[in-house]
Coordinates of all heavy atoms in Angstrom, one line a residue:
M1351 N 64.7 -173.9 -206.1 CA 63.5 -174.6 -205.7 C 63.8 -175.4 -204.4 O 64.9 -175.8 -204.1 CB 63.1 -175.5 -206.8 CG 61.8 -176.3 -206.5 SD 61.0 -177.0 -207.9 CE 61.9 -178.5 -208.2
S1352 N 62.7 -175.6 -203.7 CA 62.8 -176.3 -202.4 C 61.7 -177.4 -202.5 O 60.5 -177.1 -202.7 CB 62.6 -175.4 -201.2 OG 62.3 -176.2 -200.1
A1353 N 62.1 -178.6 -202.3 CA 61.1 -179.7 -202.2 C 61.2 -180.2 -200.7 O 62.2 -180.8 -200.3 CB 61.4 -180.8 -203.1
L1354 N 60.1 -179.9 -199.9 CA 60.0 -180.5 -198.6 C 59.2 -181.8 -198.7 O 58.1 -181.7 -199.3 CB 59.3 -179.5 -197.7 CG 60.1 -178.3 -197.2 CD1 59.2 -177.4 -196.3 CD2 61.3 -178.7 -196.5
L1355 N 59.7 -182.8 -198.2 CA 59.0 -184.1 -198.2 C 59.0 -184.7 -196.8 O 60.1 -184.8 -196.2 CB 59.6 -185.0 -199.2 CG 58.9 -186.4 -199.5 CD1 59.1 -186.8 -200.9 CD2 59.4 -187.5 -198.5
E1356 N 57.8 -185.0 -196.3 CA 57.7 -185.6 -195.0 C 57.2 -187.0 -195.3 O 56.2 -187.2 -196.0 CB 56.7 -184.9 -194.1 CG 56.5 -185.6 -192.7 CD 55.6 -184.8 -191.8 OE1 54.7 -184.1 -192.3 OE2 55.8 -184.9 -190.6
F1357 N 57.9 -188.0 -194.7 CA 57.5 -189.4 -194.9 C 57.8 -190.3 -193.8 O 58.6 -190.0 -192.9 CB 58.1 -190.0 -196.2 CG 59.5 -190.4 -196.2 CD1 59.8 -191.7 -196.4 CD2 60.5 -189.5 -196.0 CE1 61.2 -192.1 -196.4 CE2 61.8 -189.9 -196.0 CZ 62.2 -191.2 -196.2
A1358 N 57.0 -191.4 -193.7 CA 57.2 -192.4 -192.8 C 57.2 -193.7 -193.6 O 56.4 -193.8 -194.6 CB 56.1 -192.5 -191.7
I1359 N 58.1 -194.6 -193.3 CA 58.2 -195.9 -194.0 C 58.7 -197.0 -193.1 O 59.6 -196.7 -192.3 CB 59.1 -195.8 -195.3 CG1 59.0 -197.0 -196.2 CG2 60.5 -195.4 -194.9 CD1 59.6 -196.8 -197.6
F1360 N 58.0 -198.1 -193.1 CA 58.4 -199.2 -192.2 C 57.8 -200.5 -192.6 O 56.7 -200.5 -193.3 CB 58.0 -198.8 -190.7 CG 56.5 -198.5 -190.6 CD1 55.6 -199.5 -190.3 CD2 56.0 -197.2 -190.7 CE1 54.3 -199.3 -190.1 CE2 54.7 -196.9 -190.5 CZ 53.8 -198.0 -190.3
P1361 N 58.4 -201.6 -192.2 CA 57.8 -202.9 -192.5 C 56.7 -203.2 -191.5 O 56.7 -202.8 -190.4 CB 59.0 -203.9 -192.2 CG 59.9 -203.2 -191.2 CD 59.7 -201.7 -191.5
T1362 N 55.6 -203.8 -192.0 CA 54.4 -204.0 -191.2 C 54.4 -205.4 -190.5 O 53.6 -205.6 -189.7 CB 53.1 -203.8 -192.0 OG1 53.1 -204.8 -193.0 CG2 53.0 -202.5 -192.6
D1363 N 55.3 -206.2 -190.9 CA 55.3 -207.6 -190.4 C 56.4 -207.9 -189.4 O 56.9 -209.1 -189.3 CB 55.3 -208.6 -191.6 CG 56.5 -208.4 -192.5 OD1 57.3 -207.5 -192.3 OD2 56.6 -209.2 -193.5
K1364 N 56.9 -206.9 -188.7 CA 58.1 -207.1 -187.8 C 57.7 -206.8 -186.3 O 58.6 -206.6 -185.5 CB 59.2 -206.2 -188.2 CG 59.7 -206.5 -189.6 CD 60.2 -208.0 -189.7 CE 60.6 -208.3 -191.2 NZ 60.8 -209.7 -191.4
G1365 N 56.5 -206.8 -186.0 CA 56.1 -206.6 -184.6 C 56.0 -205.2 -184.2 O 55.9 -204.3 -185.1
D1366 N 55.9 -205.0 -182.9 CA 55.6 -203.6 -182.4 C 56.8 -202.6 -182.6 O 56.6 -201.5 -182.8 CB 55.4 -203.7 -180.9 CG 54.0 -204.3 -180.6 OD1 53.2 -204.3 -181.5 OD2 53.8 -204.7 -179.4
S1367 N 58.0 -203.1 -182.5 CA 59.2 -202.2 -182.7 C 59.9 -202.5 -184.0 O 60.3 -203.6 -184.3 CB 60.2 -202.4 -181.5 OG 61.3 -201.6 -181.7
V1368 N 59.9 -201.4 -184.8 CA 60.6 -201.5 -186.1 C 61.8 -200.6 -186.2 O 62.3 -200.3 -187.3 CB 59.6 -201.2 -187.3 CG1 58.6 -202.3 -187.3 CG2 59.0 -199.9 -187.1
S1369 N 62.3 -200.2 -185.0 CA 63.4 -199.2 -185.0 C 64.7 -199.7 -185.6 O 65.4 -199.0 -186.2 CB 63.7 -198.7 -183.6 OG 64.1 -199.8 -182.8
Q1370 N 64.9 -201.1 -185.6 CA 66.1 -201.6 -186.2 C 66.1 -201.4 -187.7 O 67.1 -201.3 -188.3 CB 66.4 -203.0 -185.8 CG 65.5 -204.1 -186.5 CD 65.8 -205.5 -186.0 OE1 65.3 -206.0 -185.0 NE2 66.6 -206.2 -186.9
Y1371 N 64.9 -201.4 -188.3 CA 64.8 -201.2 -189.7 C 64.7 -199.7 -190.1 O 65.4 -199.3 -191.0 CB 63.5 -201.9 -190.2 CG 63.5 -203.4 -189.9 CD1 62.8 -203.9 -188.8 CD2 64.3 -204.3 -190.6 CE1 62.8 -205.2 -188.4 CE2 64.3 -205.6 -190.3 CZ 63.6 -206.1 -189.2 OH 63.6 -207.4 -188.8
V1372 N 64.0 -199.0 -189.3 CA 63.9 -197.5 -189.6 C 65.2 -196.9 -189.4 O 65.6 -195.9 -190.2 CB 62.8 -196.9 -188.7 CG1 62.8 -195.4 -188.8 CG2 61.4 -197.5 -189.0
S1373 N 66.0 -197.3 -188.4 CA 67.3 -196.7 -188.2 C 68.2 -196.9 -189.4 O 69.1 -196.0 -189.7 CB 68.0 -197.3 -187.0 OG 68.2 -198.7 -187.2
Q1374 N 68.1 -197.9 -190.2 CA 68.8 -198.1 -191.4 C 68.4 -197.0 -192.5 O 69.3 -196.5 -193.2 CB 68.6 -199.5 -192.0 CG 69.1 -200.6 -191.2 CD 68.8 -202.0 -191.7 OE1 68.9 -202.2 -192.9 NE2 68.3 -202.8 -190.8
V1375 N 67.2 -196.7 -192.5 CA 66.7 -195.7 -193.4 C 67.2 -194.3 -193.0 O 67.7 -193.5 -193.8 CB 65.1 -195.6 -193.5 CG1 64.6 -194.4 -194.2 CG2 64.6 -196.9 -194.1
I1376 N 67.2 -194.0 -191.7 CA 67.7 -192.7 -191.2 C 69.2 -192.6 -191.5 O 69.7 -191.6 -191.8 CB 67.4 -192.6 -189.7 CG1 65.9 -192.6 -189.5 CG2 68.0 -191.2 -189.2 CD1 65.0 -191.7 -190.3
E1377 N 69.9 -193.7 -191.3 CA 71.4 -193.7 -191.6 C 71.6 -193.3 -193.1 O 72.5 -192.5 -193.4 CB 72.0 -195.0 -191.2 CG 73.5 -195.0 -191.4 CD 74.1 -196.3 -190.9 OE1 73.4 -197.4 -191.1 OE2 75.2 -196.3 -190.4
M1378 N 70.8 -193.9 -194.0 CA 71.0 -193.6 -195.4 C 70.7 -192.1 -195.6 O 71.4 -191.5 -196.4 CB 70.0 -194.5 -196.2 CG 70.0 -194.2 -197.7 SD 68.8 -192.8 -198.2 CE 67.2 -193.6 -197.8
I1379 N 69.6 -191.6 -195.0 CA 69.3 -190.2 -195.2 C 70.4 -189.3 -194.7 O 70.9 -188.3 -195.4 CB 68.0 -189.8 -194.5 CG1 66.8 -190.5 -195.2 CG2 67.7 -188.3 -194.5 CD1 65.5 -190.5 -194.4
R1380 N 70.9 -189.6 -193.5 CA 72.1 -188.8 -192.9 C 73.3 -188.9 -193.8 O 73.9 -187.8 -194.1 CB 72.4 -189.4 -191.5 CG 73.5 -188.6 -190.9 CD 73.8 -189.2 -189.5 NE 74.2 -190.6 -189.6 CZ 74.2 -191.4 -188.5 NH1 73.8 -191.0 -187.4 NH2 74.7 -192.6 -188.7
E1381 N 73.6 -190.0 -194.4 CA 74.8 -190.2 -195.2 C 74.6 -189.5 -196.6 O 75.5 -189.2 -197.3 CB 75.1 -191.6 -195.4 CG 75.7 -192.2 -194.1 CD 76.0 -193.7 -194.2 OE1 75.7 -194.3 -195.2 OE2 76.5 -194.2 -193.2
S1382 N 73.3 -189.3 -197.0 CA 73.0 -188.7 -198.3 C 73.4 -187.2 -198.4 O 73.6 -186.7 -199.4 CB 71.5 -188.8 -198.7 OG 70.8 -187.9 -197.9
G1383 N 73.5 -186.6 -197.2 CA 73.8 -185.2 -197.1 C 72.6 -184.2 -197.3 O 72.8 -183.0 -197.2
V1384 N 71.4 -184.7 -197.5 CA 70.3 -183.8 -197.5 C 69.9 -183.3 -196.1 O 70.2 -184.0 -195.1 CB 69.0 -184.5 -198.2 CG1 69.3 -184.9 -199.6 CG2 68.5 -185.6 -197.3
D1385 N 69.3 -182.1 -196.1 CA 68.9 -181.6 -194.8 C 67.7 -182.5 -194.4 O 66.8 -182.8 -195.2 CB 68.4 -180.2 -194.9 CG 69.6 -179.2 -195.0 OD1 70.7 -179.6 -194.6 OD2 69.4 -178.1 -195.6
Y1386 N 67.6 -182.9 -193.1 CA 66.5 -183.7 -192.6 C 66.2 -183.4 -191.2 O 67.1 -182.8 -190.4 CB 66.8 -185.2 -192.8 CG 67.8 -185.8 -191.8 CD1 67.4 -186.4 -190.7 CD2 69.2 -185.6 -192.1 CE1 68.3 -187.0 -189.8 CE2 70.1 -186.2 -191.2 CZ 69.7 -186.8 -190.0 OH 70.6 -187.3 -189.2
Q1387 N 65.0 -183.8 -190.7 CA 64.6 -183.6 -189.4 C 63.8 -184.9 -189.0 O 62.8 -185.1 -189.6 CB 63.8 -182.4 -189.1 CG 63.4 -182.2 -187.7 CD 62.5 -180.9 -187.6 OE1 62.6 -180.0 -188.4 NE2 61.7 -180.9 -186.5
L1388 N 64.3 -185.6 -188.0 CA 63.6 -186.8 -187.6 C 62.6 -186.4 -186.5 O 62.9 -185.6 -185.7 CB 64.6 -187.8 -186.9 CG 64.1 -189.1 -186.3 CD1 63.4 -189.9 -187.4 CD2 65.2 -189.8 -185.6
T1389 N 61.4 -187.0 -186.6 CA 60.4 -186.7 -185.7 C 59.9 -188.1 -185.1 O 60.3 -189.1 -185.7 CB 59.2 -185.9 -186.2 OG1 58.4 -186.8 -187.1 CG2 59.6 -184.7 -187.0
A1390 N 59.0 -188.1 -184.1 CA 58.5 -189.3 -183.6 C 57.7 -190.1 -184.6 O 57.5 -191.3 -184.5 CB 57.7 -189.0 -182.3
M1391 N 57.1 -189.4 -185.5 CA 56.1 -190.0 -186.5 C 56.6 -190.1 -187.9 O 55.9 -190.6 -188.8 CB 54.8 -189.3 -186.4 CG 54.1 -189.4 -185.1 SD 53.6 -191.0 -184.6 CE 52.3 -191.3 -185.8
G1392 N 57.8 -189.6 -188.2 CA 58.3 -189.6 -189.6 C 59.6 -188.8 -189.7 O 60.2 -188.4 -188.7
T1393 N 59.9 -188.5 -190.9 CA 61.1 -187.7 -191.2 C 60.8 -186.7 -192.3 O 60.2 -187.0 -193.2 CB 62.3 -188.7 -191.7 OG1 62.5 -189.7 -190.7 CG2 63.6 -187.9 -191.9
L1394 N 61.3 -185.5 -192.1 CA 61.2 -184.4 -193.1 C 62.6 -184.3 -193.7 O 63.6 -184.3 -193.1 CB 60.9 -183.1 -192.4 CG 59.5 -183.0 -191.8 CD1 59.7 -182.8 -190.3 CD2 58.8 -181.8 -192.4
I1395 N 62.5 -184.2 -195.1 CA 63.8 -183.9 -195.8 C 63.5 -182.7 -196.7 O 62.4 -182.4 -197.1 CB 64.2 -185.1 -196.7 CG1 63.2 -185.5 -197.7 CG2 64.5 -186.3 -195.8 CD1 63.6 -186.6 -198.7
E1396 N 64.6 -182.0 -197.1 CA 64.5 -180.9 -198.0 C 65.6 -181.1 -199.1 O 66.8 -181.4 -198.8 CB 64.8 -179.6 -197.3 CG 64.6 -178.4 -198.4 CD 64.6 -177.0 -197.7 OE1 65.0 -176.9 -196.5 OE2 64.2 -176.1 -198.4
T1397 N 65.2 -181.1 -200.3 CA 66.1 -181.2 -201.5 C 65.8 -180.1 -202.4 O 64.8 -179.3 -202.3 CB 65.9 -182.6 -202.2 OG1 64.5 -182.6 -202.7 CG2 66.1 -183.8 -201.3
D1398 N 66.7 -180.0 -203.4 CA 66.5 -178.9 -204.4 C 65.4 -179.2 -205.5 O 64.9 -178.3 -206.1 CB 67.8 -178.6 -205.1 CG 68.8 -178.0 -204.2 OD1 68.4 -177.3 -203.3 OD2 70.0 -178.2 -204.4
T1399 N 65.2 -180.5 -205.7 CA 64.2 -180.9 -206.7 C 63.3 -182.0 -206.2 O 63.7 -182.8 -205.3 CB 64.9 -181.4 -208.0 OG1 65.6 -182.6 -207.7 CG2 65.8 -180.3 -208.5
L1400 N 62.1 -182.2 -206.7 CA 61.3 -183.3 -206.4 C 61.9 -184.6 -206.7 O 61.8 -185.6 -205.9 CB 59.9 -183.1 -207.0 CG 58.9 -184.3 -206.7 CD1 58.6 -184.4 -205.2 CD2 57.6 -184.0 -207.5
P1401 N 62.5 -184.8 -207.9 CA 63.1 -186.1 -208.1 C 64.2 -186.5 -207.1 O 64.3 -187.7 -206.8 CB 63.7 -185.9 -209.5 CG 62.9 -184.9 -210.2 CD 62.5 -184.0 -209.1
E1402 N 64.9 -185.6 -206.6 CA 65.9 -185.9 -205.5 C 65.2 -186.4 -204.3 O 65.7 -187.4 -203.7 CB 66.7 -184.7 -205.2 CG 67.7 -184.2 -206.2 CD 68.4 -182.9 -205.8 OE1 67.8 -181.9 -205.9 OE2 69.6 -183.0 -205.4
A1403 N 64.1 -185.8 -203.9 CA 63.4 -186.2 -202.7 C 62.8 -187.6 -202.9 O 62.9 -188.4 -202.0 CB 62.3 -185.2 -202.4
L1404 N 62.2 -187.8 -204.1 CA 61.6 -189.1 -204.4 C 62.6 -190.2 -204.4 O 62.4 -191.4 -204.1 CB 60.8 -189.1 -205.6 CG 59.5 -188.1 -205.6 CD1 58.9 -188.1 -206.9 CD2 58.6 -188.6 -204.5
N1405 N 63.8 -189.8 -204.8 CA 64.9 -190.8 -204.9 C 65.3 -191.3 -203.4 O 65.6 -192.5 -203.2 CB 66.2 -190.2 -205.5 CG 67.3 -191.2 -205.7 OD1 67.1 -192.3 -206.1 ND2 68.5 -190.8 -205.3
I1406 N 65.2 -190.4 -202.5 CA 65.4 -190.8 -201.1 C 64.4 -191.8 -200.6 O 64.7 -192.8 -200.0 CB 65.4 -189.5 -200.2 CG1 66.6 -188.6 -200.5 CG2 65.4 -189.9 -198.7 CD1 68.0 -189.1 -200.1
V1407 N 63.1 -191.5 -201.0 CA 62.0 -192.5 -200.7 C 62.3 -193.8 -201.4 O 62.1 -194.9 -200.7 CB 60.7 -191.9 -201.1 CG1 59.6 -192.9 -200.8 CG2 60.4 -190.6 -200.3
N1408 N 62.7 -193.8 -202.6 CA 63.0 -195.1 -203.3 C 64.1 -195.8 -202.6 O 64.1 -197.1 -202.5 CB 63.4 -194.8 -204.8 CG 62.2 -194.5 -205.6 OD1 61.0 -194.9 -205.3 ND2 62.3 -193.7 -206.7
Q1409 N 65.2 -195.1 -202.2 CA 66.3 -195.8 -201.5 C 65.8 -196.3 -200.2 O 66.3 -197.4 -199.8 CB 67.4 -194.8 -201.3 CG 68.2 -194.4 -202.5 CD 69.3 -193.4 -202.2 OE1 70.2 -193.7 -201.5 NE2 69.2 -192.2 -202.8
A1410 N 64.9 -195.6 -199.5 CA 64.4 -196.1 -198.2 C 63.6 -197.5 -198.5 O 63.8 -198.4 -197.7 CB 63.5 -195.1 -197.6
Y1411 N 62.8 -197.5 -199.5 CA 62.1 -198.7 -199.9 C 63.1 -199.9 -200.2 O 62.9 -201.0 -199.7 CB 61.1 -198.5 -201.0 CG 60.5 -199.8 -201.5 CD1 59.5 -200.4 -200.7 CD2 60.9 -200.4 -202.6 CE1 59.0 -201.6 -201.1 CE2 60.4 -201.6 -203.0 CZ 59.4 -202.2 -202.2 OH 58.8 -203.4 -202.6
A1412 N 64.1 -199.5 -200.9 CA 65.1 -200.6 -201.3 C 65.8 -201.1 -200.1 O 66.2 -202.3 -200.1 CB 66.1 -200.0 -202.3
I1413 N 66.0 -200.3 -199.0 CA 66.5 -200.8 -197.8 C 65.6 -201.8 -197.1 O 66.0 -202.9 -196.6 CB 66.9 -199.7 -196.8 CG1 68.1 -198.9 -197.4 CG2 67.2 -200.1 -195.4 CD1 68.4 -197.6 -196.7
L1414 N 64.3 -201.5 -197.1 CA 63.4 -202.3 -196.3 C 62.8 -203.5 -197.1 O 62.5 -204.5 -196.4 CB 62.2 -201.4 -195.9 CG 62.5 -200.2 -195.0 CD1 61.3 -199.4 -194.6 CD2 63.2 -200.7 -193.7
E1415 N 62.7 -203.4 -198.3 CA 62.1 -204.5 -199.1 C 62.7 -205.9 -198.9 O 61.9 -206.8 -198.8 CB 62.2 -204.1 -200.6 CG 61.4 -205.0 -201.6 CD 62.2 -206.1 -202.1 OE1 63.5 -206.0 -202.2 OE2 61.6 -207.2 -202.4
P1416 N 64.0 -206.0 -198.8 CA 64.5 -207.4 -198.6 C 64.1 -208.0 -197.2 O 64.2 -209.2 -197.0 CB 66.0 -207.2 -198.6 CG 66.3 -205.9 -199.3 CD 65.1 -205.1 -199.0
H1417 N 63.7 -207.1 -196.3 CA 63.4 -207.6 -194.9 C 61.9 -207.9 -194.7 O 61.6 -208.3 -193.6 CB 63.9 -206.6 -193.9 CG 65.4 -206.3 -194.0 ND1 66.3 -207.1 -193.6 CD2 66.0 -205.2 -194.5 CE1 67.5 -206.6 -193.8 NE2 67.3 -205.4 -194.4
S1418 N 61.1 -207.5 -195.6 CA 59.6 -207.6 -195.3 C 58.8 -207.9 -196.5 O 59.1 -207.6 -197.7 CB 59.2 -206.2 -194.8 OG 57.8 -206.2 -194.5
D1419 N 57.7 -208.6 -196.3 CA 56.7 -208.9 -197.4 C 55.8 -207.7 -197.6 O 55.1 -207.7 -198.6 CB 55.9 -210.1 -197.0 CG 56.8 -211.4 -197.1 OD1 57.7 -211.4 -197.9 OD2 56.4 -212.3 -196.3
R1420 N 55.8 -206.8 -196.6 CA 54.9 -205.6 -196.7 C 55.5 -204.4 -196.1 O 55.9 -204.4 -194.9 CB 53.6 -205.9 -196.0 CG 52.5 -204.8 -196.2 CD 51.2 -205.3 -195.6 NE 50.2 -204.3 -195.9 CZ 49.0 -204.4 -195.3 NH1 48.7 -205.3 -194.5 NH2 48.1 -203.4 -195.6
V1421 N 55.7 -203.3 -196.9 CA 56.2 -202.1 -196.5 C 55.2 -201.0 -196.6 O 54.6 -200.8 -197.6 CB 57.5 -201.7 -197.3 CG1 58.0 -200.3 -196.9 CG2 58.6 -202.7 -197.2
Y1422 N 54.9 -200.3 -195.5 CA 53.9 -199.2 -195.5 C 54.6 -197.9 -195.5 O 55.7 -197.7 -194.9 CB 53.1 -199.3 -194.2 CG 52.1 -198.3 -194.0 CD1 50.8 -198.4 -194.6 CD2 52.3 -197.1 -193.2 CE1 49.9 -197.4 -194.4 CE2 51.4 -196.1 -193.1 CZ 50.1 -196.3 -193.7 OH 49.2 -195.3 -193.5
S1423 N 54.0 -196.9 -196.2 CA 54.6 -195.6 -196.3 C 53.5 -194.5 -196.4 O 52.5 -194.8 -197.1 CB 55.6 -195.5 -197.5 OG 56.2 -194.2 -197.5
T1424 N 53.8 -193.4 -195.8 CA 52.9 -192.2 -196.1 C 53.9 -191.1 -196.5 O 55.1 -191.1 -196.1 CB 52.2 -191.7 -194.8 OG1 53.1 -191.4 -193.8 CG2 51.3 -192.8 -194.3
M1425 N 53.4 -190.1 -197.3 CA 54.2 -189.1 -197.8 C 53.4 -187.8 -198.0 O 52.3 -187.9 -198.5 CB 54.9 -189.6 -199.1 CG 55.8 -188.6 -199.7 SD 56.7 -189.4 -201.1 CE 55.4 -190.1 -202.1
T1426 N 54.0 -186.7 -197.7 CA 53.4 -185.4 -197.9 C 54.5 -184.5 -198.6 O 55.7 -184.5 -198.1 CB 52.9 -184.7 -196.6 OG1 52.1 -185.6 -196.0 CG2 52.2 -183.4 -196.9
V1427 N 54.2 -183.8 -199.6 CA 55.2 -183.0 -200.3 C 54.8 -181.5 -200.5 O 53.6 -181.3 -200.8 CB 55.5 -183.6 -201.7 CG1 56.6 -182.8 -202.5 CG2 55.8 -185.1 -201.6
D1428 N 55.7 -180.6 -200.3 CA 55.5 -179.2 -200.5 C 56.6 -178.7 -201.4 O 57.8 -178.6 -200.9 CB 55.4 -178.4 -199.2 CG 55.2 -176.9 -199.3 OD1 55.0 -176.5 -200.5 OD2 55.3 -176.2 -198.3
I1429 N 56.3 -178.3 -202.6 CA 57.3 -177.8 -203.6 C 57.1 -176.4 -203.8 O 56.0 -175.9 -204.1 CB 57.2 -178.6 -204.9 CG1 57.3 -180.1 -204.6 CG2 58.3 -178.2 -205.9 CD1 56.6 -180.9 -205.7
Q1430 N 58.2 -175.6 -203.7 CA 58.1 -174.1 -203.9 C 59.3 -173.7 -204.7 O 60.4 -173.9 -204.3 CB 58.0 -173.4 -202.6 CG 57.6 -171.9 -202.7 CD 57.3 -171.3 -201.4 OE1 57.4 -171.9 -200.3 NE2 56.8 -170.0 -201.5
K1431 N 59.0 -172.9 -205.7 CA 60.1 -172.4 -206.6 C 60.7 -171.2 -205.9 O 60.0 -170.5 -205.1 CB 59.5 -171.9 -207.9 CG 59.1 -173.1 -208.8 CD 58.5 -172.6 -210.1 CE 58.1 -173.8 -210.9 NZ 57.5 -173.4 -212.2
N1432 N 61.9 -170.9 -206.2 CA 62.6 -169.7 -205.7 C 62.7 -169.6 -204.2 O 62.8 -168.5 -203.6 CB 62.0 -168.4 -206.2 CG 61.9 -168.4 -207.7 OD1 62.9 -168.7 -208.4 ND2 60.7 -168.1 -208.3
K1433 N 62.8 -170.8 -203.6 CA 62.9 -170.8 -202.1 C 64.0 -171.9 -201.8 O 64.2 -172.8 -202.5 CB 61.6 -171.2 -201.4 CG 60.5 -170.2 -201.5 CD 60.8 -169.0 -200.6 CE 59.6 -168.1 -200.6 NZ 59.7 -167.1 -199.6
H1434 N 64.6 -171.7 -200.6 CA 65.6 -172.6 -200.1 C 65.6 -172.6 -198.6 O 65.1 -171.6 -198.0 CB 67.0 -172.3 -200.6 CG 67.2 -172.3 -202.1 ND1 67.3 -173.4 -202.8 CD2 67.2 -171.3 -203.0 CE1 67.3 -173.2 -204.1 NE2 67.3 -171.8 -204.3
N1435 N 66.1 -173.6 -198.0 CA 66.3 -173.7 -196.5 C 65.0 -173.5 -195.8 O 64.9 -173.0 -194.7 CB 67.3 -172.6 -196.1 CG 67.8 -172.9 -194.7 OD1 68.0 -174.0 -194.3 ND2 68.1 -171.8 -193.9
R1436 N 63.9 -174.1 -196.3 CA 62.6 -173.9 -195.7 C 62.4 -174.9 -194.5 O 61.6 -174.6 -193.6 CB 61.5 -174.2 -196.7 CG 61.4 -173.1 -197.7 CD 60.2 -173.2 -198.6 NE 60.1 -174.5 -199.2 CZ 58.9 -175.1 -199.4 NH1 57.8 -174.6 -199.1 NH2 58.8 -176.3 -200.0
L1437 N 63.2 -175.9 -194.4 CA 63.1 -176.8 -193.3 C 63.4 -176.0 -192.0 O 62.7 -176.3 -191.0 CB 64.1 -178.0 -193.4 CG 64.0 -179.1 -192.5 CD1 62.7 -179.9 -192.7 CD2 65.1 -180.1 -192.8
K1438 N 64.3 -175.1 -192.1 CA 64.6 -174.3 -190.9 C 63.8 -173.0 -190.9 O 63.3 -172.5 -189.9 CB 66.1 -174.0 -190.8 CG 66.9 -175.2 -190.6 CD 68.4 -174.9 -190.5 CE 69.1 -176.2 -190.2 NZ 70.1 -176.5 -191.1
S1439 N 63.6 -172.3 -192.1 CA 63.0 -171.0 -192.1 C 61.5 -171.1 -191.7 O 61.0 -170.1 -191.1 CB 63.1 -170.4 -193.5 OG 62.4 -171.1 -194.5
K1440 N 60.8 -172.2 -192.0 CA 59.4 -172.3 -191.6 C 59.2 -172.3 -190.1 O 58.3 -171.7 -189.5 CB 58.7 -173.5 -192.3 CG 58.6 -173.3 -193.8 CD 58.1 -174.5 -194.5 CE 56.6 -174.8 -194.4 NZ 55.8 -173.9 -195.1
V1441 N 60.2 -173.0 -189.4 CA 60.1 -173.1 -188.0 C 60.5 -171.7 -187.4 O 59.9 -171.2 -186.5 CB 61.1 -174.2 -187.4 CG1 61.2 -174.1 -185.9 CG2 60.6 -175.5 -187.9
T1442 N 61.5 -171.1 -188.0 CA 62.0 -169.8 -187.5 C 60.9 -168.7 -187.6 O 60.7 -167.9 -186.7 CB 63.2 -169.3 -188.3 OG1 64.3 -170.3 -188.1 CG2 63.7 -167.9 -187.9
A1443 N 60.1 -168.8 -188.7 CA 59.0 -167.9 -188.8 C 58.0 -168.0 -187.7 O 57.5 -166.9 -187.2 CB 58.3 -168.1 -190.2
I1444 N 57.7 -169.2 -187.3 CA 56.8 -169.4 -186.1 C 57.4 -168.9 -184.8 O 56.8 -168.2 -184.0 CB 56.3 -170.8 -186.0 CG1 55.6 -171.3 -187.2 CG2 55.5 -171.1 -184.7 CD1 54.3 -170.5 -187.5
E1445 N 58.7 -169.3 -184.6 CA 59.4 -168.8 -183.4 C 59.5 -167.3 -183.3 O 59.5 -166.8 -182.2 CB 60.8 -169.5 -183.4 CG 60.7 -171.0 -183.1 CD 62.1 -171.6 -183.0 OE1 63.0 -171.2 -183.6 OE2 62.2 -172.7 -182.3
N1446 N 59.6 -166.6 -184.4 CA 59.7 -165.2 -184.4 C 58.4 -164.6 -183.9 O 58.3 -163.5 -183.4 CB 60.0 -164.6 -185.8 CG 61.4 -164.9 -186.2 OD1 62.3 -165.1 -185.3 ND2 61.7 -164.8 -187.5
K1447 N 57.3 -165.3 -184.0 CA 56.0 -164.8 -183.6 C 55.6 -165.3 -182.2 O 55.0 -164.5 -181.4 CB 54.9 -165.3 -184.5 CG 55.0 -164.7 -185.9 CD 54.1 -165.3 -186.9 CE 54.1 -164.7 -188.3 NZ 55.4 -164.6 -188.9
I1448 N 56.1 -166.5 -181.7 CA 55.6 -167.0 -180.4 C 56.8 -167.4 -179.5 O 56.5 -167.8 -178.4 CB 54.6 -168.1 -180.6 CG1 55.3 -169.4 -181.2 CG2 53.4 -167.7 -181.4 CD1 54.5 -170.6 -181.1
G1449 N 58.0 -167.3 -180.0 CA 59.1 -167.8 -179.2 C 59.5 -169.2 -179.5 O 58.9 -169.9 -180.4
K1450 N 60.5 -169.7 -178.8 CA 61.1 -171.0 -179.1 C 60.0 -172.1 -179.0 O 59.2 -172.1 -178.1 CB 62.2 -171.3 -178.1 CG 63.1 -172.4 -178.4 CD 64.1 -171.9 -179.5 CE 65.2 -173.0 -179.7 NZ 65.7 -173.0 -181.0
V1451 N 60.1 -173.1 -179.9 CA 59.2 -174.2 -179.9 C 60.0 -175.5 -179.8 O 61.2 -175.5 -180.1 CB 58.3 -174.3 -181.2 CG1 57.4 -173.1 -181.3 CG2 59.2 -174.5 -182.4
N1452 N 59.4 -176.6 -179.3 CA 60.1 -177.9 -179.2 C 60.1 -178.5 -180.5 O 59.1 -178.5 -181.3 CB 59.3 -178.8 -178.2 CG 59.4 -178.3 -176.8 OD1 60.3 -177.6 -176.4 ND2 58.4 -178.7 -176.0
L1453 N 61.2 -179.1 -180.9 CA 61.3 -179.9 -182.1 C 61.4 -181.4 -181.8 O 61.8 -181.8 -180.9 CB 62.5 -179.5 -182.9 CG 62.5 -178.0 -183.5 CD1 63.8 -177.7 -184.2 CD2 61.3 -177.9 -184.4

């Protein structure tokens, strides 16, 4: 199974730049060993199960919660049985049709 989860999470009471907080979340994701892709508006992760993906989101919240009275998050999930490596294969499928795309 493949659980693709795209999410953004950040404190809302820290001004215009929250990169010092978001970078702590990205470091946790990197150290977790899950496949991920950072984008300008959020992060995509791929895990074998939905609970694993949601655990990453819970850990992200646990990192931010001590620093903020309000944490905002958005999340989109795509779960598919009998599939793996979709973080890369979905992009490859498009590139096979139109050529290299910017990530």
